[in-house]
Amino acid sequence: MNRFTITVYPEGKKIIASEGDVLLRVLKKAGFPIPASCGGQGTCGKCRVVVRGGVCHASPSPFLRKEEIGKGYCLACLVLVEGDMEVEIPPESRAAAGGPAVVVGHKAGGDKPDTAPGAPSAPESTPSPAPGVPAAGSRILFEEKPVVRDKLVLGKWEIEPRTRRVHLQMQPPSLDDHRSDIERLRADLVVRGFSGERMRCPLPVLKKLSKVLRSGSWQITVTLIELPDGVEILDIQPGDQTQHHLGLAIDVGTTSVVVYLVDLLTGQVIDTAGSYNAQIRCGEDVISRIVYARTHEGLAELQQLVVGTMNELIDQILQGTGLAARNIGCIVAAGNTTMIHLLLGLDPRYIREEPYIPTVSSVPPVKAAEIGLKVNEHAYLYCLPAIASFVGGDITAGILTTGMHKEPPLTIFIDIGTNGEIVLGNADWLVTASCSAGPAFEGGEVLHGMRAASGAIESVAIDRETLEPRISVIGQAAPAGICGSGIIDALAEMLLTGLLDRKGKICRDIAHPRLREGEYGFEYVLVFAKDSAIQKDIVITEIDINNILRAKGAVYAGCSTLLKQMSLGVEDIERFLIAGGFGRYLNIHNAVVIGLLPDIPYEKFRYLGNSSVTGGHLALLSQRLWKEAEHIARSTTYLELSTSASFMDEYVSALFLPHTNISLFPRVELLLGERK
Ligand code: FES
């Protein structure tokens, strides 16, 4: 096969490609950050490059304008290499890709993969939730409360992890005591309360037993794990090592991965680290990843990428703390069903095809080393059980974190990402559903959308008199695009200033330099090119607004369908709990104004942080809580919205700002009345 050289600008770096290679893959393999929300299917328009010269085959795309094509713009996923090439990655593609944001112990810089409660962080919100009508343009964020940490401190449940470390001072053998080394060890462990009959010692541990016993002068530390069918000796070390008893709780998210290193003696989190999931380069949502998994070696690549991310984070924490990987004997991971399939290397194909069947919902424990995790070579990985194909173990973990399954108040728990998972109920019953919000809240399907990384506009306010925007940008960098929280703010503010009508149409009657007919229809300019990092105007178009309306409509309709199914209304909601990275920066007031969240008293809303990793932390520490998680997964009723007659009605009604039935949003009605 012919090999060609591709020179990538502005670096001038040369990389080698084979004839017929897809340019996007070649660039990504070489480490160039290129956004690819759709995973290379040509449907997101994000992977823009400029082909300066050379030989290639570029398929046409509706995402490219005529004059852009004239300048050499192509979508990298639609370009096949056919000769030497010169390619430029333009500033907007670099900016939209975001940087690798690795966080250890706390949030770093302005980037915001969600590290969840547990990690110390300075308060960033303006905790002023108040009932009644807020001032126009006011910004109301959540007050973060580390629910679980309270419980840990208060010691309301016993720390009882699956792994145990036991220090033994054994009697050496003698001519009168001929027992073998393993018999001797087993007998001492029985004295310490373990069942000898159901105890097993894997061959690799057995191989080093005689040496360790003697090198430690018969003083050893044994690490054991309780499995469904007995107890297994995971490791033996000379001397007393009981003070180093570690476990990991990991949130395997579609966008980011968060790792907690946990001291299993005290239950405390020793350190945390978070980073974007390296699989992002293969698509931003689960559907793109499922599609990617079907490409040649796609599944293996996806598995290696996520395991690689996890290993990097584990390594960073261990280097920072000086602790050893061999002391980690147990890992609890929580993730959506597709992510867990990809982590284990299971084909996720049938999750996407009707009737949406996963290979496994409740994964039996697996050896962490089998999937390449760099911890103790005999450590076990436990994945929290899923409720359904589109309501995974991360939601089981979330329910466990909220405690809603044990408490009387009627609660809605919601995790908004590319999928919105919603749980409704209390101690008596739980129902759940998943609605496809699409990638709009994560910056996809929005012309200048980007992930919540440095350079993203995270909040917007619009002056009522001048109609000029005030923005804040993550990392205080020059703006390069807008992330989900900024988009919601922009829509709410445009509605409240009269720039937007309730159908999502931008007003044509106001003469203002920021309102104009653009390449993609009518638009409002948030940032002019001279002030942007991408040397282009950053705009909100009516197409963007339409995509956000569909996303918010799906989430609201999911909530209202569940409520209707149970013959309840929004007035019955006693708590509204929001989890996930997106929720943390959500302005509740603006989310209500656009009709993403119901118009209920603000004090009922509460942000939980990363409830997936928190639930994993709980299940790691307590076998009783693990059993509760299993019970939650078994007993929660899943409602399939795609077959629900009322969901479509609710969805169509929710495609207005805030809703076709404005009386459901009395505060917004009042604000819009004042506007008039
Ligand atoms: Fe190329 Fe989406 S259009 S990755």
Side-chain angles (χ1 to χ4, degrees):
M1 189 172 287
N2 292 328
R3 310 269 281 167
F4 302 112
T5 302
I6 299 178
T7 312
V8 186
Y9 295 99
E11 292 88 345
K13 187 175 169 186
K14 293 190 188 310
I15 54 178
I16 302 297
S18 299
E19 185 172 5
D21 276 353
V22 177
L23 182 60
L24 178 68
R25 282 199 160 211
V26 175
L27 293 172
K28 282 189 173 295
K29 211 168 169 189
F32 288 98
I34 309 232
S37 305
C38 68
Q41 298 172 69
T43 56
C44 71
K46 295 281 183 193
C47 59
R48 294 155 66 87
V49 293
V50 181
V51 177
R52 288 187 182 179
V55 192
C56 66
H57 177 271
S59 300
S61 163
F63 290 102
L64 297 170
R65 301 193 303 267
K66 223 181 194 174
E67 62 275 22
E68 288 179 326
I69 294 168
K71 288 178 187 164
Y73 272 91
C74 297
L75 296 184
C77 68
L78 300 180
V79 174
L80 300 180
V81 178
E82 292 185 341
D84 292 340
M85 291 176 69
E86 295 198 334
V87 174
E88 179 189 337
I89 302 174
E92 67 265 31
S93 292
R94 288 175 187 267
V102 176
V103 187
V104 179
H106 54 84
K107 258 170 23 77
D111 292 357
K112 40 191 215 185
D114 188 15
T115 54
S121 63
E124 293 177 33
S125 59
T126 310
S128 55
V133 179
S138 64
R139 185 160 175 76
I140 298 172
L141 299 174
F142 292 106
E143 181 181 17
E144 189 172 340
K145 229 174 173 187
V147 189
V148 176
R149 206 163 37 172
D150 289 346
K151 283 189 181 171
L152 283 177
V153 171
L154 293 173
K156 285 187 179 167
W157 43 267
E158 218 174 304
I159 295 174
E160 188 202 2
R162 243 169 243 287
T163 48
R164 301 235 334 244
R165 292 204 123 187
V166 187
H167 174 234
L168 297 176
Q169 175 64 70
M170 297 169 63
Q171 279 299 318
S174 66
L175 288 175
D176 298 327
D177 181 358
H178 298 134
R179 288 176 301 167
S180 67
D181 290 342
I182 188 67
E183 278 176 70
R184 187 175 305 277
L185 175 61
R186 198 189 303 265
D188 275 28
L189 287 170
V190 168
V191 171
R192 299 293 285 270
F194 294 94
S195 160
E197 281 168 25
R198 296 169 66 235
M199 189 183 299
R200 62 173 185 254
C201 182
L203 188 58
V205 179
L206 203 52
K207 276 183 178 171
K208 63 183 179 183
L209 179 62
S210 59
K211 195 171 169 193
V212 172
L213 287 173
R214 285 157 184 87
S215 67
S217 306
W218 300 93
Q219 246 201 79
I220 58 164
T221 300
V222 188
T223 308
L224 304 108
I225 188 160
E226 287 191 28
L227 296 167
D229 58 345
V231 177
E232 182 176 310
I233 298 174
L234 284 185
D235 200 7
I236 44 166
Q237 293 165 270
D240 184 356
Q241 304 283 339
T242 46
Q243 72 278 24
H244 300 306
H245 188 198
L246 305 175
L248 295 172
I250 304 183
D251 167 37
V252 192
T254 313
T255 304
S256 58
V257 176
V258 175
V259 176
Y260 280 16
L261 177 68
V262 180
D263 182 333
L264 296 179
L265 293 174
T266 64
Q268 294 299 315
V269 176
I270 298 170
D271 209 346
T272 73
S275 162
Y276 288 119
N277 184 339
Q279 289 180 341
I280 280 180
R281 71 178 67 161
C282 307
E284 297 214 357
D285 55 36
V286 291
I287 299 300
S288 306
R289 307 257 175 103
I290 293 172
V291 170
Y292 193 90
R294 296 193 63 191
T295 61
H296 177 59
E297 296 191 349
L299 178 57
E301 186 187 344
L302 286 165
Q303 201 228 3
Q304 282 161 15
L305 286 170
V306 71
V307 170
T309 302
M310 290 160 81
N311 279 335
E312 270 176 33
L313 295 172
I314 293 167
D315 200 44
Q316 280 181 51
I317 293 182
L318 293 177
Q319 278 191 24
T321 55
L323 295 165
R326 78 175 293 184
N327 294 320
I328 299 170
C330 187
I331 301 171
V332 171
N336 65 55
T337 313
T338 301
M339 290 313 304
I340 294 301
H341 275 57
L342 296 177
L343 173 65
L344 300 175
L346 303 174
D347 186 354
R349 173 178 174 177
Y350 299 103
I351 291 174
R352 188 188 167 214
E353 295 176 11
E354 206 177 317
Y356 317 115
I357 304 299
T359 300
V360 62
S361 298
S362 186
V363 181
V366 296
K367 290 271 185 183
E370 275 178 39
I371 61 163
L373 287 173
K374 292 180 182 157
V375 289
N376 186 301
E377 59 184 320
H378 307 298
Y380 276 90
L381 168 72
Y382 288 79
C383 299
L384 276 157
I387 296 166
S389 274
F390 289 101
V391 181
D394 51 344
I395 302 304
T396 306
I399 298 170
L400 186 69
T401 302
T402 65
M404 65 189 281
H405 60 295
K406 294 190 285 194
E407 295 166 0
L410 184 75
T411 303
I412 283 191
F413 164 62
I414 186 165
D415 190 339
I416 307 173
T418 50
N419 253 13
E421 290 106 344
I422 305 155
V423 184
L424 170 70
N426 58 14
D428 297 327
W429 50 266
L430 292 169
V431 290
T432 184
S434 167
C435 54
S436 175
F441 291 136
E442 301 197 343
E445 293 182 348
V446 170
L447 184 60
H448 290 119
M450 64 183 284
R451 287 199 304 272
S454 182
I457 298 169
E458 61 172 340
S459 75
V460 178
I462 298 177
D463 188 280
R464 299 294 183 265
E465 300 299 322
T466 64
L467 302 182
E468 287 295 317
R470 282 195 318 279
I471 58 168
S472 69
V473 180
I474 298 174
Q476 284 153 15
I482 185 164
C483 65
S485 59
I487 293 165
I488 287 171
D489 284 1
L491 252 67
E493 288 284 285
M494 287 173 76
L495 180 69
L496 295 178
T497 49
L499 288 170
L500 200 61
D501 69 15
R502 290 190 46 221
K503 289 184 196 149
K505 294 283 169 235
I506 298 175
C507 180
R508 265 73 166 166
D509 301 335
I510 303 172
H512 194 281
R514 290 185 182 268
L515 289 175
R516 66 187 190 194
E517 186 71 41
E519 307 284 350
Y520 299 96
F522 221 69
E523 62 191 23
Y524 174 74
V525 183
L526 272 175
V527 181
F528 285 111
K530 66 179 175 49
D531 300 317
S532 85
I534 57 172
Q535 289 101 49
K536 281 182 179 178
D537 295 345
I538 296 175
V539 300
I540 300 269
T541 70
E542 279 185 347
I543 297 172
D544 299 339
I545 293 165
N546 196 35
N547 288 334
I548 294 289
L549 285 187
R550 284 192 280 129
K552 76 96 188 170
V555 174
Y556 186 86
C559 292
S560 51
T561 305
L562 279 187
L563 284 165
K564 280 214 167 126
Q565 188 76 18
M566 305 310 293
S567 306
L568 296 165
V570 289
E571 64 284 357
D572 296 310
I573 302 169
E574 293 172 81
R575 293 189 304 189
F576 200 113
L577 308 178
I578 300 178
F582 173 67
R584 181 184 175 103
Y585 295 88
L586 193 63
N587 180 322
I588 319 169
H589 167 58
N590 285 340
V592 170
V593 167
I594 71 162
L596 168 64
L597 299 178
D599 195 351
I600 58 175
Y602 290 148
E603 62 268 23
K604 290 188 177 181
F605 291 104
R606 189 157 163 201
Y607 176 61
L608 287 181
N610 184 334
S611 60
S612 174
V613 74
T614 307
H617 179 195
L618 293 172
L620 174 71
L621 288 180
S622 161
Q623 292 186 65
R624 184 169 71 76
L625 292 180
W626 173 273
K627 287 198 177 97
E628 268 183 37
E630 288 182 319
H631 179 71
I632 289 167
R634 272 197 312 271
S635 59
T636 302
T637 304
Y638 175 68
L639 184 69
E640 177 58 56
L641 291 181
S642 64
T643 57
S644 160
S646 69
F647 175 72
M648 210 19 103
D649 294 341
E650 294 290 332
Y651 173 65
V652 172
S653 301
L655 291 178
F656 273 58
L657 290 166
H659 195 274
T660 44
N661 182 1
I662 188 82
S663 67
L664 290 172
F665 290 79
R667 280 182 298 203
V668 185
E669 189 175 18
L670 198 56
L671 288 171
L672 293 178
E674 283 171 6
R675 183 191 82 182
K676 277 181 196 146

